[in-house]
Amino acid sequence: MISKILNKVDAPFDENVIDIEKEKLIIAGPCAIESYDQLLETARFIKSKGVKILRGGAYKPRTSPFAFQGMRKEGLEILKAVKKEVGIMAVTEAIDEKSLSEVYEVSDMIQIGSRNMQNFSLLVEAGKQDKPILLKRGMSATIKEWIHAAEYIAKQGNTKIIMCERGIRTFNDYTRNTMDIAAIPIIKQETGLKVIADPSHGTGKRNLILPMSLASLAAGADGLIIEVHPQPEDALSDGDQSLNFEEFSNLISVIKG
Amino acid sequence: MISKILNKVDAPFDENVIDIEKEKLIIAGPCAIESYDQLLETARFIKSKGVKILRGGAYKPRTSPFAFQGMRKEGLEILKAVKKEVGIMAVTEAIDEKSLSEVYEVSDMIQIGSRNMQNFSLLVEAGKQDKPILLKRGMSATIKEWIHAAEYIAKQGNTKIIMCERGIRTFNDYTRNTMDIAAIPIIKQETGLKVIADPSHGTGKRNLILPMSLASLAAGADGLIIEVHPQPEDALSDGDQSLNFEEFSNLISVIKG
Amino acid sequence: MISKILNKVDAPFDENVIDIEKEKLIIAGPCAIESYDQLLETARFIKSKGVKILRGGAYKPRTSPFAFQGMRKEGLEILKAVKKEVGIMAVTEAIDEKSLSEVYEVSDMIQIGSRNMQNFSLLVEAGKQDKPILLKRGMSATIKEWIHAAEYIAKQGNTKIIMCERGIRTFNDYTRNTMDIAAIPIIKQETGLKVIADPSHGTGKRNLILPMSLASLAAGADGLIIEVHPQPEDALSDGDQSLNFEEFSNLISVIKG
Amino acid sequence: MISKILNKVDAPFDENVIDIEKEKLIIAGPCAIESYDQLLETARFIKSKGVKILRGGAYKPRTSPFAFQGMRKEGLEILKAVKKEVGIMAVTEAIDEKSLSEVYEVSDMIQIGSRNMQNFSLLVEAGKQDKPILLKRGMSATIKEWIHAAEYIAKQGNTKIIMCERGIRTFNDYTRNTMDIAAIPIIKQETGLKVIADPSHGTGKRNLILPMSLASLAAGADGLIIEVHPQPEDALSDGDQSLNFEEFSNLISVIKG
């Protein structure tokens, strides 16, 4: 094992909440929280499909400072209201120490995004929390670097870490990223952590989400995180890689076989 | 579709030989043909597991001119004898025009290797044959380049082409290559060709062959090509990525579910 | 021009301090501040060679949480003392909001490291300072992403930005990174910013620092940042890519021609 | 040294022809030979600028089989006529055994292109010739693989090899390839071979050719190979990376300083 401290880890959730040993962890929702109605509609729909965790970004790390940066604090308020209204858990991204404490108040799981995988100060703060951390792989992170990032969190005492393979950056320009499916069994062999896959960011293409979801699960993934939007064509970000409700329904049927 | 000429293609095999619409195409055997006994033992074993096509390199394109270059013509003689003795089909690699005509005499399918994916003269010659061509993806080939390489073959009249995803070269140094599993559904969407996966070269690690085989099939692969060796630890090349008989047996059981 | 806001930028320094239009900006010093004596000796030596800015990391973002993390606040105290003793300017890295305000107190220029190139909260904070920012390129940052990162800083009002090409991550394993020398003229064409090169991180190999320094300057770089250590073989980090005093002396002679 | 057989090599040219120890080897000409007039005009012009070797592709390895494949044998006839008319040496690419013998008859130097860097049969044939070989680096070739490719040639007896760095394939999409300038001093340190740079293919952009030429020479390159075309905007291939006569004139003036 590469990691000496990650072979004995806490289950990310109490087994009464989600028994990740027995059922796959499906997380779904829009890339960004855009309005109360958008999130509510999505949350209700995915819950009806058996999904227990809603995703939705309030703080969005965007390449350009002139792009939509997320609804930020207002987005978290919406998330809080929708969670209560629908009765569903949530995960959303923290991008710095301040947003981390805000996210902690609202969210059941805290996401550290790809661009922050080596933001070591943020990892240390995440390690001080008592909620599960969803640690996305950096765009050009080696397996070792990703595991070491998880160790930054674990070293502070929080070993409720879920790793998320979301594709790496390669010369291949057909897909947004190249999903490194082999990373899924590797992380499981080298640590005791759970691993999920993000075929939405991993491919950037709606019609590849289903086959890559199936591939990830076949390779041993403990779950999936999928972008779903009521009207992907109107999404403020990542519409091309979001499923509409019908497509998501179909994905769930196929997965549950 | 990227390719306008590859949507109407011939089935690689007569359906009485191998019905690739109904059963997965499993190809297995050693990286290199090392001796009559080694190949015979392997061929008998894989046949007993239901495998219909034996692989084994006679001409080996090796990075260094001082490395073992394969048994070449002698290797083809062994392949011919083993095929007859065991009653099994075979695929082996051609590396130039001369070896192509030799391989044609012996083999049921002709492999064009990664390093020759853009050896256009060789592709043109392959296109003049009436036997199926196994076209491995180049180490840094984009989807478009790979499809165009297949078009070089098809343009000569031979559309019995099977594409083989065998991993691409990335910064990731944990595995020998990074398998681009998304390429499997992409090739199927963009052409009418069949696609198989090579998790042996794709990972370079024995313990990743099973999960990556399952992932490839889940993503829609029409088959697999797997390195199997009686004693992987003594193999003249690629021992680290070859399964022994027991491991291969297990793989077949899991795949057949 | 890719960037509409970076074509009119402030000179990073007052021309009475360093006239970057007339002389190349040479920054030198150890990877990490290890002790008062180490930094003092280095600072005195590089000043004797005409270098006006000392580098030295107090906060070190390290891949593993178990690796030396820098002397942190104590390192900044040493830097402050050495600056005063020798009479030299300094640049050192800030890794989060807290260290940014500490670094601001001591340093003449603030470095944002590669791993934080898309730590947008940190970029925003850097944009509120009135000191020049040294913005290193992320390991897998495209030209556009790097320019957008600079825009995050500039949008807050601070356009005293110096870009630093330090190599990107590729399949090539001979060097630590692959220096993208073409990025130097590209950044100059696409923005009005100054660009320097870091051949120490860019190659990871002592004997490549001189040729890559010359190549960078020939391609139009406005300066260099070079790791120098009194005893590279004893360095706590990056010894293999640090020049000793004699080697640095030679580099300066060759550059000044 | 990585290579044990390439430290003692023959000079690529007789020193009475081109003394590569004393003068830089500049090769120039169109990507593809398109007509007698086009090649003649270019040859006369570059000769007037002191260039001793004309480049021009007769056999063009193109990604798509439907793209212009070069004038092939007819192109070689044109090259032969222009060489005689102008009095200039030439280099052109061989893509297989047959074209190699044709190229041998006409050309003073034989180019092995990037896509054929690991076409080992072609390398072996090149090694049997008594003319210098220009060996371009493969798009994703490591330093070791490139040196081993040269060893395939040298092992047959021909050590008149010139290595050509022409950029590698990375995630960076601003330039056609990423020039690995560090490869220039590395090849010189690890072998006794001469190295030239190809900033035309290395960048794919006309306005980067000059700075990257200067960078290559500063890093120790023994020469350059530059695409020049009378009307780049009308070129049948690679027009965007070809200099017109005025731009080439300027490049030569700057280089000769």
Side-chain angles (χ1 to χ4, degrees):
Chain A
M1 283 215 178
I2 290 178
S3 179
K4 287 168 195 160
I5 66 168
L6 293 175
N7 46 40
K8 288 275 181 180
V9 295
D10 293 321
F13 295 98
D14 183 297
E15 64 184 328
N16 295 317
V17 176
I18 295 179
D19 189 345
I20 203 169
E21 296 298 336
K22 291 196 186 146
E23 59 177 320
K24 296 296 182 184
L25 179 70
I26 310 295
I27 302 173
C31 175
I33 297 167
E34 297 170 5
S35 71
Y36 177 77
D37 288 349
Q38 171 237 27
L39 197 65
L40 181 69
E41 187 183 354
T42 309
R44 278 188 174 141
F45 171 72
I46 63 168
K47 192 184 178 189
S48 78
K49 295 294 160 190
V51 172
K52 292 183 179 161
I53 305 185
L54 171 69
R55 62 152 289 156
Y59 289 92
K60 298 298 304 172
R62 300 298 299 279
T63 300
S64 165
F66 302 105
F68 170 60
Q69 304 278 312
M71 294 183 75
R72 306 176 78 86
K73 202 148 187 192
E74 194 187 344
L76 290 181
E77 292 304 323
I78 291 174
L79 183 60
K80 191 176 175 180
V82 167
K83 277 188 56 179
K84 195 177 164 192
E85 176 69 26
V86 177
I88 193 167
M89 291 189 290
V91 59
T92 193
E93 181 170 354
I95 58 171
D96 52 22
E97 210 170 320
K98 190 161 163 295
S99 59
L100 180 65
S101 67
E102 292 171 17
V103 164
Y104 178 88
E105 292 305 317
V106 171
S107 192
D108 304 278
M109 190 191 282
I110 300 162
Q111 178 179 319
I112 304 294
S114 295
R115 289 165 191 77
N116 283 314
M117 193 204 82
Q118 291 195 314
N119 179 340
F120 299 121
S121 303
L122 186 59
L123 297 178
V124 166
E125 285 309 307
K128 295 174 184 166
Q129 313 303 316
D130 57 5
K131 289 190 174 178
I133 306 297
L134 183 63
L135 181 62
K136 292 200 136 194
R137 182 177 181 179
M139 287 180 205
S140 62
T142 63
I143 296 289
K144 261 200 185 175
E145 288 169 341
W146 191 15
I147 291 176
H148 283 319
E151 289 179 332
Y152 266 95
I153 299 170
K155 189 161 175 272
Q156 301 299 319
N158 186 355
T159 59
K160 292 178 179 174
I161 302 165
I162 294 180
M163 304 289 263
C164 179
E165 164 60 31
R166 44 78 72 207
I168 56 173
R169 187 159 273 184
T170 73
F171 65 85
N172 184 1
D173 55 0
Y174 188 99
T175 41
R176 182 172 174 178
N177 293 288
T178 298
M179 285 193 84
D180 182 10
I181 298 290
I184 297 169
I186 292 168
I187 292 292
K188 294 180 75 73
Q189 288 167 13
E190 298 282 4
T191 72
L193 298 173
K194 300 295 175 191
V195 185
I196 68 172
D198 176 351
S200 302
H201 286 87
T203 66
K205 298 209 156 154
R206 193 173 302 141
N207 65 351
L208 293 172
I209 293 176
L210 178 56
M212 295 310 281
S213 293
L214 295 173
S216 301
L217 295 174
D222 299 293
L224 299 169
I225 181 166
I226 307 282
E227 291 194 349
V228 180
H229 193 284
Q231 291 88 27
E233 57 284 7
D234 298 331
L236 292 184
S237 59
D238 286 353
D240 287 348
Q241 67 191 38
S242 297
L243 299 184
N244 64 29
F245 288 180
E246 192 186 332
E247 291 160 340
F248 184 71
S249 250
N250 179 49
L251 178 103
I252 293 293
S253 317
V254 176
I255 286 173
K256 297 205 169 160
Chain B
M1 282 217 178
I2 290 178
S3 179
K4 288 168 195 160
I5 66 167
L6 293 176
N7 46 41
K8 288 274 180 181
V9 294
D10 293 319
F13 295 97
D14 183 298
E15 65 184 326
N16 295 318
V17 176
I18 296 178
D19 189 345
I20 204 169
E21 296 298 336
K22 291 197 185 143
E23 59 176 319
K24 296 296 182 185
L25 179 70
I26 310 295
I27 302 173
C31 175
I33 298 168
E34 296 171 4
S35 71
Y36 177 79
D37 288 348
Q38 171 238 26
L39 196 65
L40 181 69
E41 187 182 354
T42 310
R44 279 188 173 141
F45 172 73
I46 63 167
K47 193 184 178 188
S48 77
K49 294 294 160 189
V51 172
K52 291 183 181 162
I53 304 184
L54 172 69
R55 64 153 288 158
Y59 289 92
K60 299 299 304 172
R62 300 299 298 281
T63 300
S64 165
F66 302 105
F68 170 58
Q69 304 277 313
M71 293 182 76
R72 307 174 78 86
K73 201 146 188 196
E74 195 188 343
L76 291 181
E77 292 304 322
I78 292 174
L79 183 59
K80 191 177 176 181
V82 167
K83 277 188 57 177
K84 194 178 166 191
E85 176 70 25
V86 178
I88 193 166
M89 290 189 291
V91 58
T92 194
E93 180 169 356
I95 58 171
D96 52 23
E97 209 170 319
K98 189 161 164 294
S99 59
L100 180 64
S101 66
E102 292 171 16
V103 164
Y104 178 87
E105 292 305 317
V106 172
S107 193
D108 304 277
M109 189 190 282
I110 300 162
Q111 178 179 318
I112 305 293
S114 294
R115 289 164 191 78
N116 282 313
M117 194 205 81
Q118 291 194 313
N119 180 341
F120 300 121
S121 303
L122 186 59
L123 297 178
V124 166
E125 285 309 308
K128 295 176 184 165
Q129 314 303 315
D130 58 6
K131 289 191 173 178
I133 307 296
L134 183 63
L135 180 62
K136 294 201 134 192
R137 182 177 183 180
M139 287 179 204
S140 63
T142 63
I143 296 289
K144 262 200 184 173
E145 288 169 342
W146 191 15
I147 290 177
H148 283 319
E151 289 180 332
Y152 265 95
I153 298 170
K155 190 162 175 273
Q156 301 300 318
N158 186 356
T159 60
K160 291 179 180 174
I161 303 165
I162 295 179
M163 304 288 263
C164 179
E165 164 61 32
R166 45 77 74 207
I168 56 173
R169 187 160 273 185
T170 73
F171 66 84
N172 184 1
D173 56 0
Y174 189 98
T175 41
R176 181 171 174 179
N177 293 288
T178 298
M179 285 192 85
D180 182 8
I181 297 291
I184 297 168
I186 291 168
I187 292 292
K188 294 180 75 73
Q189 289 167 12
E190 298 283 5
T191 72
L193 298 174
K194 299 296 175 190
V195 186
I196 67 172
D198 176 351
S200 302
H201 285 88
T203 66
K205 296 206 158 156
R206 193 174 303 143
N207 65 350
L208 293 172
I209 293 176
L210 178 56
M212 294 310 281
S213 293
L214 295 173
S216 301
L217 295 173
D222 298 294
L224 298 170
I225 179 166
I226 305 282
E227 291 193 350
V228 180
H229 193 284
Q231 290 87 27
E233 58 284 7
D234 297 332
L236 291 184
S237 58
D238 286 354
D240 287 349
Q241 68 191 39
S242 297
L243 299 184
N244 63 30
F245 288 179
E246 193 186 333
E247 290 160 340
F248 184 71
S249 250
N250 178 51
L251 178 104
I252 293 293
S253 318
V254 176
I255 287 173
K256 298 207 168 157
Chain C
M1 281 214 179
I2 291 178
S3 180
K4 287 169 195 160
I5 66 168
L6 293 175
N7 46 40
K8 288 274 181 181
V9 294
D10 293 319
F13 295 98
D14 183 299
E15 64 183 326
N16 295 318
V17 176
I18 295 179
D19 189 345
I20 203 170
E21 296 297 336
K22 292 197 185 143
E23 59 176 319
K24 296 296 181 186
L25 179 71
I26 310 295
I27 302 174
C31 174
I33 298 169
E34 297 170 4
S35 71
Y36 177 78
D37 289 349
Q38 171 238 26
L39 196 65
L40 181 70
E41 187 183 354
T42 310
R44 279 189 172 140
F45 171 72
I46 62 168
K47 192 184 179 188
S48 78
K49 295 294 159 188
V51 172
K52 290 182 181 164
I53 305 184
L54 171 69
R55 64 153 287 158
Y59 288 92
K60 299 299 304 172
R62 299 299 298 279
T63 299
S64 164
F66 302 105
F68 171 59
Q69 304 277 313
M71 293 183 76
R72 305 176 79 87
K73 203 150 187 193
E74 194 187 344
L76 290 179
E77 292 304 321
I78 291 174
L79 183 60
K80 190 176 177 182
V82 166
K83 277 188 56 179
K84 194 177 166 192
E85 176 69 25
V86 177
I88 193 166
M89 290 189 292
V91 58
T92 193
E93 180 169 354
I95 57 171
D96 52 23
E97 210 171 319
K98 189 162 163 293
S99 59
L100 180 65
S101 67
E102 292 171 15
V103 164
Y104 179 86
E105 292 305 316
V106 171
S107 192
D108 304 276
M109 189 190 281
I110 300 162
Q111 178 179 318
I112 304 293
S114 294
R115 289 164 191 77
N116 284 313
M117 194 206 81
Q118 291 195 313
N119 179 341
F120 300 120
S121 304
L122 186 58
L123 296 178
V124 166
E125 285 309 307
K128 295 175 184 165
Q129 313 303 315
D130 57 5
K131 289 190 173 177
I133 306 296
L134 183 64
L135 180 62
K136 293 200 136 193
R137 182 177 183 179
M139 286 179 207
S140 62
T142 63
I143 296 288
K144 262 201 184 172
E145 289 170 341
W146 191 14
I147 291 177
H148 283 319
E151 290 180 332
Y152 265 94
I153 298 170
K155 190 161 174 272
Q156 301 300 319
N158 186 356
T159 59
K160 292 178 180 173
I161 303 165
I162 294 179
M163 305 288 262
C164 178
E165 164 61 32
R166 46 76 74 206
I168 56 174
R169 188 160 273 184
T170 73
F171 66 85
N172 184 1
D173 56 359
Y174 188 99
T175 42
R176 182 172 173 178
N177 293 288
T178 297
M179 285 192 84
D180 182 9
I181 297 290
I184 296 168
I186 291 168
I187 292 292
K188 294 181 75 74
Q189 287 167 13
E190 298 283 4
T191 72
L193 298 173
K194 299 297 176 191
V195 186
I196 68 171
D198 176 352
S200 302
H201 285 88
T203 66
K205 297 210 155 150
R206 192 173 303 143
N207 65 350
L208 293 172
I209 293 176
L210 178 56
M212 294 310 283
S213 294
L214 294 173
S216 301
L217 295 173
D222 298 293
L224 299 169
I225 180 165
I226 306 282
E227 291 193 349
V228 180
H229 193 284
Q231 289 88 27
E233 59 282 7
D234 297 334
L236 291 184
S237 60
D238 287 353
D240 287 348
Q241 66 191 41
S242 297
L243 299 184
N244 64 28
F245 289 0
E246 192 185 333
E247 291 160 338
F248 184 70
S249 251
N250 179 49
L251 178 104
I252 292 293
S253 317
V254 176
I255 286 172
K256 298 207 168 157
Chain D
M1 283 216 178
I2 290 177
S3 180
K4 286 169 194 158
I5 66 167
L6 292 174
N7 45 40
K8 288 275 182 180
V9 294
D10 293 320
F13 295 98
D14 183 299
E15 65 184 326
N16 295 318
V17 176
I18 296 178
D19 189 346
I20 203 170
E21 296 297 336
K22 292 195 185 145
E23 59 177 320
K24 295 296 182 185
L25 179 70
I26 310 296
I27 301 173
C31 174
I33 297 169
E34 298 171 3
S35 71
Y36 178 77
D37 288 350
Q38 171 237 26
L39 197 65
L40 181 69
E41 188 183 353
T42 310
R44 278 189 173 141
F45 172 72
I46 62 168
K47 191 184 179 189
S48 78
K49 293 296 160 189
V51 172
K52 292 183 181 162
I53 304 185
L54 171 69
R55 64 152 287 158
Y59 288 93
K60 298 298 304 172
R62 299 299 298 278
T63 299
S64 165
F66 302 105
F68 171 59
Q69 304 278 312
M71 294 183 76
R72 305 176 79 87
K73 202 148 188 194
E74 195 187 343
L76 290 180
E77 292 303 321
I78 291 174
L79 183 60
K80 191 176 175 181
V82 167
K83 277 188 57 180
K84 194 177 166 191
E85 176 69 26
V86 178
I88 193 167
M89 289 188 292
V91 60
T92 193
E93 181 169 353
I95 58 172
D96 51 23
E97 210 170 318
K98 190 163 163 293
S99 60
L100 180 65
S101 66
E102 292 171 16
V103 164
Y104 178 87
E105 291 305 317
V106 171
S107 192
D108 305 277
M109 190 190 281
I110 300 162
Q111 179 179 318
I112 304 294
S114 294
R115 289 165 190 77
N116 283 314
M117 194 204 81
Q118 291 194 314
N119 180 341
F120 300 121
S121 304
L122 186 58
L123 298 178
V124 166
E125 285 310 306
K128 295 175 184 165
Q129 314 302 316
D130 57 6
K131 289 191 173 179
I133 307 297
L134 183 63
L135 180 63
K136 293 200 136 194
R137 183 177 181 180
M139 289 180 202
S140 62
T142 62
I143 296 288
K144 261 200 185 175
E145 288 170 341
W146 191 15
I147 290 177
H148 283 319
E151 289 179 333
Y152 265 95
I153 299 170
K155 189 160 175 274
Q156 301 299 319
N158 186 356
T159 59
K160 292 179 178 174
I161 303 165
I162 294 180
M163 305 289 263
C164 178
E165 165 60 32
R166 45 78 72 207
I168 55 173
R169 188 159 272 185
T170 73
F171 65 85
N172 184 2
D173 56 0
Y174 189 98
T175 41
R176 180 171 175 178
N177 292 289
T178 298
M179 285 192 83
D180 182 10
I181 297 289
I184 297 168
I186 291 168
I187 292 292
K188 294 179 75 73
Q189 287 166 15
E190 298 283 4
T191 72
L193 298 173
K194 299 296 175 189
V195 186
I196 68 171
D198 176 351
S200 302
H201 285 89
T203 65
K205 297 207 160 167
R206 193 173 304 142
N207 66 350
L208 293 172
I209 294 175
L210 178 56
M212 294 309 281
S213 294
L214 295 173
S216 300
L217 295 173
D222 299 292
L224 299 169
I225 179 165
I226 306 282
E227 291 194 350
V228 180
H229 194 284
Q231 290 88 29
E233 58 284 7
D234 298 332
L236 292 184
S237 61
D238 287 354
D240 287 348
Q241 67 191 40
S242 297
L243 299 184
N244 64 27
F245 288 180
E246 193 185 333
E247 291 160 339
F248 184 71
S249 250
N250 178 49
L251 178 103
I252 293 292
S253 318
V254 176
I255 286 172
K256 296 206 169 160

